[in-house]
Amino acid sequence: MRQSFTKMHGLGNDFVVIDATRRPFVPSADDLRRIADRRFGVGCDQILVVEPASAPDIDFDYRIYNADGSESGQCGNGARCLARFVRDKKLSERDTIRVRTQSSVLVLQLLADGQVRVDMGAPRFEPADIPMLATQRETRYRHELDGATLEFGALSMGNPHAVILVDDLDTAPVRTLGPRLQTQAIFPQQANVGFMQIVDRDTLRLRVYERGAGETLACGSGACAAAVIARLWDRVGKAVTVQLPGGSLQIEWDGEGQPVFMTGPASTVFTGDLEWFNQ
Ligand SMILES: N[C@H](CCC[C@H](N)C(=O)O)C(=O)O
């Protein structure tokens, strides 16, 4: 039977969304890479799969696959699209739903203005939770790379993030330093690498070289990571506008042990069928 899909995006971070609530969707890594391929497939940064809940207090399970076929435990822009998807597909009438990923439980709230507010859970800073090879948690990590000492913040939002402060985002070495840092041995599961420029105490600019997808137009969990690191470095307050190439997200964080809230849009572009994929 053919597999239908819905093409969506969150600020240009784009997704192929699959409804697997009535029929399992079990793709191979090659299937995922083919779906994500912008020439031979549909084209997307991530594939999102909505599955039946695996626990009584959960509405749906939510699996996230990067364009390279790797699986992640978090996708913030994807979570907003998932909330929109389950409403439009009438899979749930609720305004607030709880979804579980490989690593996190998220609470998604559809707002009256069409935006979605996501409780992304609390950031985790212990090296073992990121995961990262470091002897202890640091507010600023220093790492020798290509003859220079790189300074960055690191945390998990349910997926690993490193955040580097730059003076000028437009000339930041996102596509060279991003993959170099991402693949260092200190990140045993790699990392999403964010480059942030502080505009003022309420505003950040951010570009993210994502694990498994490269530089994207927006990264929701990356925006959360940058806002948290900037707050820990006392450069911003608890409510921050994060300006990404694809648009802006509102991030709120009350401090250690507290969840990060992300608010932003979710858009549906088209629907279709995977002609070659029959299960
Ligand atoms: N590349 C990420 C997953 C997608 C995250 C991003 N698209 C977001 O909106 O959070 C990872 O491997 O952890």
Side-chain angles (χ1 to χ4, degrees):
M1 187 176 172
R2 262 190 211 152
Q3 180 61 59
S4 62
F5 67 86
T6 299
K7 185 72 176 19
M8 304 185 77
H9 74 86
L11 301 179
N13 178 200
D14 64 340
F15 310 108
V16 166
V17 188
I18 303 276
D19 174 3
T21 58
R22 288 177 278 257
R23 185 162 58 89
F25 175 68
V26 186
S28 68
D30 282 343
D31 292 327
L32 293 164
R33 285 189 285 267
R34 184 171 179 187
I35 292 168
D37 190 293
R38 296 191 185 282
R39 293 288 185 283
F40 295 100
V42 179
C44 62
D45 293 326
Q46 281 89 33
I47 295 102
L48 312 180
V49 185
V50 186
E51 297 181 334
S54 57
D57 60 341
I58 297 293
D59 294 293
F60 299 97
D61 276 20
Y62 162 34
R63 300 193 74 157
I64 302 142
Y65 300 100
N66 287 308
D68 71 352
S70 62
E71 185 165 5
S72 175
Q74 179 61 280
C75 181
N77 288 323
R80 299 198 313 276
C81 288
L82 186 141
R84 167 65 48 222
F85 179 80
V86 298
R87 168 56 61 88
D88 292 352
K89 289 277 184 183
K90 299 187 175 19
L91 297 175
S92 170
E93 294 302 318
R94 294 183 178 164
D95 286 335
T96 300
I97 59 171
R98 292 166 59 83
V99 301
R100 182 155 80 173
T101 75
Q102 190 189 52
S103 66
S104 311
V105 172
L106 311 175
V107 180
L108 320 181
Q109 182 187 9
L110 280 167
L111 303 178
D113 67 359
Q115 294 201 104
V116 184
R117 187 170 192 262
V118 181
D119 172 345
M120 293 283 285
R124 297 189 285 275
F125 300 100
E126 289 306 315
D129 295 329
I130 294 176
M132 183 179 172
L133 303 183
T135 51
Q136 63 181 25
R137 171 184 170 175
E138 303 287 354
T139 302
R140 285 175 173 77
Y141 290 95
R142 288 181 178 78
H143 180 69
E144 296 303 313
L145 183 58
D146 301 338
T149 301
L150 196 58
E151 187 175 272
F152 57 87
L155 56 81
S156 173
M157 284 302 305
N159 59 345
H161 286 271
V163 180
I164 300 168
L165 180 62
V166 297
D167 294 328
D168 177 6
L169 197 59
D170 300 321
T171 59
V174 176
R175 299 195 178 189
T176 51
L177 182 54
R180 284 287 293 136
L181 178 57
Q182 177 176 89
T183 52
Q184 294 292 294
I186 55 171
F187 293 114
Q189 295 177 11
Q190 295 195 16
N192 301 282
V193 183
F195 295 75
M196 76 172 167
Q197 179 181 343
I198 311 269
V199 176
D200 56 37
R201 284 197 67 81
D202 309 310
T203 315
L204 298 177
R205 292 183 66 215
L206 180 70
R207 290 169 64 187
V208 182
Y209 194 89
E210 284 199 30
R211 175 178 64 170
E215 182 176 4
T216 56
L217 289 177
C219 180
S221 56
C224 295
V228 166
I229 294 296
R231 181 135 194 245
L232 288 178
W233 293 353
D234 195 21
R235 301 295 304 272
V236 296
K238 72 176 190 178
V240 185
T241 297
V242 179
Q243 298 173 344
L244 298 125
S248 293
L249 291 171
Q250 305 305 320
I251 309 296
E252 301 155 79
W253 184 53
D254 274 334
E256 294 263 356
Q258 298 302 310
V260 185
F261 291 92
M262 168 194 63
T263 302
S267 305
T268 300
V269 183
F270 63 89
T271 60
D273 292 320
L274 299 175
E275 295 290 332
W276 77 86
F277 189 90
N278 286 289
Q279 270 186 346

